[in-house]
Amino acid sequence: MSESLATGKPVTTVKCVVWDLDNTLWKGTLLEGDDVVIDDGVRETIVALDSRGILQAVASKNDHGPAWERLEALGVAEYFVAARIGWGPKSSSVREIADELKFAHHTIAFVDDQPAERAEVGYHLPEVRCYPAESIPGLLALPEYTPATVTVDSRRRREMYQANVRRQAEQESFDGPSEEFLRSLDLVMEISRATAGDLSRMEELTLRTSQMNATGVHYSDADLRALLDDARHEVLAVTMSDRFGSHGAVGVVLLETGPAVWHLKLLATSCRVVSFGAGATVLNWLVDEAATAGAHLVADFRPTARNRIMEVAYRFAGFSDEHCACVAGLPQSESAETQRLHITPAPRPAPGTMQLTAVRLATT
């Protein structure tokens, strides 16, 4: 069991497992000349965690070169999205990994055979969940390693993170305006009507996305399925890709359409694509579609502790607090904190930094 998980609260799913190497991930001590090997059970655990969308990293006191070469020779190096192999405190290594991945400490797990190392991490990072090496055979059965749903995007989460590392490295070396860099990525966005198979990822987006969620409301699979079956509503899935690979599903739009007014009930986009202008692209497309339909567009916005950036996106797209009679015709919001932002749409140009393929909502 976790040595730092001692509350009666619902268990949060682990997002990243940080592995020690010697006598934990592999048998033996590399610097003592042991011919270190990985047990089949450990290998199966690594593969299974990856298939569940749980990222993995390494924090080991070793010489980096030989240790990483051994991981490659053992055929598991590709499973690790981050590695801190050196001689500093393990707590510093785990903290750096969490910062690199932008994960909260309570979503990180640390596995090490040494009680002193686990204690050191637990002391400096009390929210990190620490596990002894002997717990490895039972990890996969624990609730914190069992996501409620495993989507297509979950299964390729590690590949998407690794592609993002390559993407960021190229951006850092790119000599030119940021807009030129975005064009160099060959970005493609697709906005399509969601299918029943998309709903688990749509639910995950409404649950996990906080900074770029316009209302902070979580829509369950059942909620989304009901809207999918309602002819008045559009449930739209937003996906993106570029020359480095797929970003997967990056956004969800919940829209109620009518002859005179369209009601944007939710826009949520992944924080991973904020810098690519994903939210602005979706909003401009919606405004253009509403203009074609001759309808006003009203968007729900409920401020939270983290979604200020989404309000900025709405305002920048032209939404305002201006009074319009069309707002009075909408059902009253369930939350007194929800604002109704309004825009009288006018045609918008196609995005300049990406190719957009989208379903037509307006009928002409």
Side-chain angles (χ1 to χ4, degrees):
M1 291 180 62
S2 165
E3 295 176 351
S4 60
L5 189 63
T7 72
K9 299 179 180 179
V11 176
T12 302
T13 302
V14 168
K15 290 185 178 181
C16 179
V17 177
V18 181
W19 293 86
D20 170 49
L21 293 179
D22 291 332
N23 295 307
T24 301
L25 186 133
W26 58 45
K27 282 185 173 181
T29 303
L30 188 64
L31 287 179
E32 292 180 1
D34 293 342
D35 184 19
V36 298
V37 294
I38 297 179
D39 276 347
D40 289 342
V42 173
R43 189 182 299 273
E44 290 168 4
T45 299
I46 292 170
V47 174
L49 290 171
D50 185 70
S51 70
R52 295 180 184 186
I54 298 173
L55 301 181
Q56 295 171 86
V58 169
S60 172
K61 289 182 177 178
N62 258 300
D63 289 336
H64 186 280
W68 189 256
E69 288 174 6
R70 190 59 181 160
L71 287 170
E72 291 180 323
L74 291 168
V76 294
E78 65 182 292
Y79 289 99
F80 302 107
V81 298
R84 294 296 184 274
I85 303 174
W87 298 101
K90 292 283 183 73
S91 61
S92 297
S93 296
V94 174
R95 180 183 288 109
E96 289 173 7
I97 290 167
D99 289 346
E100 179 179 331
L101 298 176
K102 298 181 175 60
F103 285 173
H105 291 174
H106 72 275
T107 67
I108 304 292
F110 174 63
V111 185
D112 196 298
D113 67 303
Q114 293 294 321
E117 299 287 12
R118 301 195 301 274
E120 191 268 336
V121 170
Y123 177 80
H124 292 285
L125 305 173
E127 291 187 302
V128 170
R129 288 173 267 193
C130 299
Y131 301 78
E134 56 264 28
S135 71
I136 294 173
L139 287 185
L140 295 174
L142 296 177
E144 58 264 42
Y145 296 93
T146 310
T149 59
V150 179
T151 66
V152 172
D153 284 355
S154 297
R155 287 190 287 271
R156 60 186 181 193
R157 184 165 288 141
R158 184 247 309 169
E159 295 174 6
M160 290 193 287
Y161 268 88
Q162 290 169 331
N164 195 49
V165 169
R166 297 191 296 271
R167 193 178 292 115
Q168 289 178 338
E170 179 146 332
Q171 183 173 13
E172 290 172 4
S173 64
F174 188 85
D175 185 17
S178 58
E179 194 166 296
E180 286 299 320
F181 172 71
L182 291 180
R183 276 195 279 267
S184 77
L185 290 177
D186 299 329
L187 286 161
V188 176
M189 174 183 285
E190 182 176 356
I191 304 174
S192 59
R193 288 186 172 91
T195 66
D198 296 324
L199 295 187
S200 59
R201 177 55 176 148
M202 300 298 98
E203 178 186 5
E204 187 179 38
L205 274 170
T206 70
L207 184 63
R208 292 166 63 100
T209 303
S210 55
Q211 289 179 310
M212 295 299 290
N213 186 320
T215 65
V217 175
H218 166 227
Y219 285 79
S220 69
D221 184 284
D223 295 331
L224 294 170
R225 197 171 299 276
L227 294 176
L228 202 64
D229 294 335
D230 185 340
R232 299 169 302 166
H233 284 86
E234 298 281 2
V235 181
L236 305 173
V238 183
T239 59
M240 286 185 70
S241 63
D242 61 26
R243 59 187 172 87
F244 287 96
S246 172
H247 295 271
V250 299
V252 56
V253 177
L254 304 181
L255 180 74
E256 184 174 7
T257 58
V261 58
W262 288 8
H263 183 193
L264 178 56
K265 295 183 175 181
L266 176 71
L267 170 61
T269 62
S270 171
C271 297
R272 293 182 288 107
V273 292
V274 170
S275 62
F276 301 149
T281 298
V282 174
L283 283 173
N284 283 328
W285 169 76
L286 278 170
V287 170
D288 188 67
E289 285 289 301
T292 301
H296 286 204
L297 188 56
V298 177
D300 285 354
F301 177 75
R302 185 173 68 88
T304 69
R306 291 176 56 82
N307 71 351
R308 169 66 179 165
I309 190 172
M310 183 58 90
E311 181 179 15
V312 171
Y314 274 133
R315 303 291 185 179
F316 193 75
F319 288 82
S320 72
D321 300 304
E322 68 173 336
H323 174 74
C324 182
C326 73
V327 177
L330 297 177
Q332 187 173 355
S333 171
E334 294 181 2
S335 171
E337 298 177 347
T338 300
Q339 304 168 18
R340 291 275 166 79
L341 304 180
H342 175 271
I343 188 171
T344 303
R348 296 285 171 94
T353 57
M354 69 179 73
Q355 176 186 335
L356 174 62
T357 302
V359 65
R360 296 307 306 266
L361 303 180
T363 56
T364 57

